[in-house]
Amino acid sequence: MKALLLVDIQNGFCPGGNLAVPGGDEVVPVANRLIDSGTYDLIVASQDWHPADHGSFASSHPGKTHFEIGTLSGKPQMMWPDHCVQGTPDAEFHPHLRTADIHFIQQKGQDSAVDSYSAFRDNDQDATTGLADYLAQQGVTDLDVCGLATDYCVKFSALDAVEMLPGVTVRFIEDASRGITPEGITAAIEEMRSRGIAIVTSDQAIAG
Ligand code: VGL
Ligand code: ZN
């Protein structure tokens, strides 16, 4: 049972969005090609889904500015611009993403007191989202992960998949993903590789 996890392909992470990732919208045609290819038995997508007062937003911390390190629930936390607020256009999937073919949507980041980069659990690794149980129940043996952003939500989702789904082969699809900084992307790919995650292209993924 082969599954595809599309991470946070939302307006907020695309050009024009509140936390735009360079070239973020370029993953959409690649994701659609993966969806249409018939390679996957199961297609799931995660959606960053924050309340307006989320603690990862600099706006929740007087005196803090975007992209500096602050504190959330006693732990270091990147201060993000407000993004992907529940029910706003910023939180919607990119309009060209073929969402009709997505079988399951995992929302995350609803708890104001903790950030949740991974689609599987909060950053403090306390609360899980239920996605690992869902994929295990479906009998998933192979999971390809891609989307936005490589150096945050994609990386943490792929690493958690390895840890929380023992026996499942996890791969990262590089050309179906974009990251926030070049250094972050390089480090994320190295970290994923070191944890046994194969780095593949969409062509390789479609070929099997
Ligand atoms: C993400 C930062 C904050 C992501 C989400 O989807 O990579 N990054 N929230
Ligand atoms: Zn977020």
Side-chain angles (χ1 to χ4, degrees):
M1 166 69 88
K2 287 180 72 103
L4 175 66
L5 171 56
L6 303 165
V7 176
D8 299 3
I9 306 182
Q10 295 166 260
N11 289 326
F13 300 116
C14 292
N18 289 341
L19 182 37
V21 176
D25 56 338
E26 293 166 11
V27 307
V28 174
V30 186
N32 286 340
R33 207 160 55 82
L34 289 163
I35 292 169
D36 286 348
S37 67
T39 305
Y40 300 101
D41 307 301
L42 185 70
I43 297 167
V44 302
S46 67
Q47 189 175 27
D48 214 28
W49 194 246
H50 296 308
D53 67 348
H54 196 266
S56 73
F57 298 167
S59 62
S60 301
H61 305 263
K64 287 287 173 190
T65 55
H66 301 163
F67 305 108
E68 69 173 308
I69 306 294
T71 306
L72 180 59
S73 300
K75 298 202 172 92
Q77 167 70 45
M78 177 71 91
M79 298 283 102
W80 300 110
D82 293 21
H83 65 276
C84 297
V85 171
Q86 297 169 7
T88 67
D90 202 63
E92 287 169 17
F93 289 113
H94 187 286
H96 296 158
L97 182 66
R98 220 146 287 161
T99 50
D101 297 315
I102 294 171
H103 300 104
F104 183 80
I105 293 169
Q106 180 64 64
Q107 297 180 326
K108 64 185 178 66
Q110 296 101 322
D111 183 350
S112 288
V114 62
D115 210 352
S116 189
Y117 296 144
S118 165
F120 292 96
R121 58 184 165 185
D122 290 339
N123 289 5
D124 62 8
Q125 305 197 338
D126 206 4
T128 58
T129 59
L131 182 59
D133 290 338
Y134 172 78
L135 295 177
Q137 243 162 38
Q138 297 293 314
V140 169
T141 55
D142 297 86
L143 181 68
D144 287 352
V145 183
C146 64
L148 306 171
T150 302
D151 33 357
Y152 287 91
C153 293
V154 175
K155 178 189 85 171
F156 283 102
S157 296
L159 295 179
D160 274 351
V162 169
E163 202 174 309
M164 296 170 74
L165 294 166
V168 172
T169 300
V170 180
R171 304 189 300 183
F172 165 70
I173 309 176
E174 189 169 9
D175 59 319
S177 306
R178 294 290 185 280
I180 296 179
T181 70
E183 315 79 65
I185 294 168
T186 303
I189 289 175
E190 210 27 68
E191 193 176 350
M192 288 191 278
R193 203 196 304 276
S194 77
R195 299 273 285 271
I197 296 164
I199 316 299
V200 298
T201 64
S202 55
D203 282 344
Q204 289 170 327
I206 288 169

